[in-house]
């Protein structure tokens, strides 16, 4: 049997939520979902809005904001508050991840650290059911370190 893509799983979650709660299945919600899962990495609401406009599917800021808020509640999107503003990211199968953030230039890179992921996954939380995590490590990137050492 073929494995479902993250986007297909997200669409199924959205379908189930809308049906269960008697909400309309609007073309806007599905267009935003499609755009979110086609974005690479972190994105701003403005970048998402521009992507929708390029596909000739403009949506109002209110619709976009409300739809993203719904997707966050459904665990389809994660919100990151970074140095360069609020960014969003589609939650894929590898939802647990670690970010390195440069405190000088604001560059964000994702770090593969299976030992840290394993340690967090094995941690027993008291009266708390962990669903997903995002870890932020702040420091200075090599480019900024090199620039500041020359001063």
């Amino acid at each position: 049997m073929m494995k479902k893509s993250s986007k297909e799983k997200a669409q199924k979650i959205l379908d189930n939520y809308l049906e269960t709660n008697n909400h309309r299945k609007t073309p806007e919600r599905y267009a935003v979902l499609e755009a979110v899962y086609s974005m690479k990495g972190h994105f701003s609401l403005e970048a998402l809005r521009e992507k929708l406009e390029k596909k000739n599917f403009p949506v109002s800021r209110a619709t976009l904001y409300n739809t993203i808020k719904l997707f966050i509640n459904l665990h389809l999107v994660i919100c990151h508050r970074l140095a360069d503003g609020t960014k969003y990211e589609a939650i894929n199968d590898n939802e647990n991840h670690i970010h390195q953030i440069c405190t000088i230039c604001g560059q964000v890179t994702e770090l593969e650290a299976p030992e840290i992921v394993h340690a967090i996954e094995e941690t027993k939380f008291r009266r708390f059911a962990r669903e997903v995590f995002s870890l932020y490590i702040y420091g200075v990137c090599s480019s900024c370190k090199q620039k500041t050492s020359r001063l």
Side-chain angles (χ1 to χ4, degrees), residues 116-129:
I116 294 173
V117 171
H118 180 73
I120 293 172
E121 287 174 345
E122 293 300 311
T123 300
K124 302 290 185 234
F125 294 92
R126 191 170 168 197
R127 302 179 69 165
F128 185 78

Side-chain angles (χ1 to χ4, degrees), residues 6 13 21 30 43 47 52 82 84 88 94 99 103 109 116 125 146-148 150:
S6 296
I13 290 168
N21 293 284
Y30 290 96
F43 58 88
L52 287 161
L82 304 172
D84 61 343
Y88 301 89
N94 59 340
H99 297 89
T103 55
T109 53
I116 294 173
F125 294 92
Q146 190 175 29
K147 288 176 191 172
T148 57
R150 284 188 258 158

Side-chain angles (χ1 to χ4, degrees), residues 4 10 21 29 36-37 39 53 76 103 109 120 122 127:
K4 279 189 175 181
N21 293 284
R29 287 180 174 139
V36 162
Y37 276 84
M39 302 288 280
E53 284 179 357
L76 304 177
T103 55
T109 53
I120 293 172
E122 293 300 311
R127 302 179 69 165

Side-chain angles (χ1 to χ4, degrees), residues 70-119:
L70 171 64
F71 291 174
I72 290 168
N73 290 335
L74 294 175
H75 302 288
L76 304 177
V77 170
I78 189 165
C79 177
H80 301 287
R81 299 210 184 344
L82 304 172
D84 61 343
T86 301
K87 303 289 181 171
Y88 301 89
E89 184 176 21
I91 295 178
N92 294 299
D93 292 331
N94 59 340
E95 62 226 21
N96 297 329
H97 54 281
I98 303 166
H99 297 89
Q100 297 178 135
I101 304 169
C102 179
T103 55
I104 295 175
C105 70
Q107 177 184 353
V108 179
T109 53
E110 292 201 15
L111 173 68
E112 292 290 326
E115 61 281 358
I116 294 173
V117 171
H118 180 73

Side-chain angles (χ1 to χ4, degrees), residues 12-23 70 74:
K12 184 75 174 154
I13 290 168
L14 180 59
D15 286 342
N16 289 340
Y17 172 83
L18 295 174
E19 289 169 10
T20 302
N21 293 284
N22 293 318
H23 292 300
L70 171 64
L74 294 175

Side-chain angles (χ1 to χ4, degrees), residues 44-79:
S44 66
L45 282 182
E46 187 59 31
L48 182 58
R49 194 173 68 76
E50 288 171 9
K51 184 166 192 88
L52 287 161
E53 284 179 357
K54 284 181 185 171
K55 293 185 177 234
N56 292 324
F57 206 104
V59 295
S60 71
R61 289 183 196 274
T63 297
L64 193 57
Y65 178 79
N66 291 331
T67 303
I68 287 294
K69 196 170 158 183
L70 171 64
F71 291 174
I72 290 168
N73 290 335
L74 294 175
H75 302 288
L76 304 177
V77 170
I78 189 165
C79 177

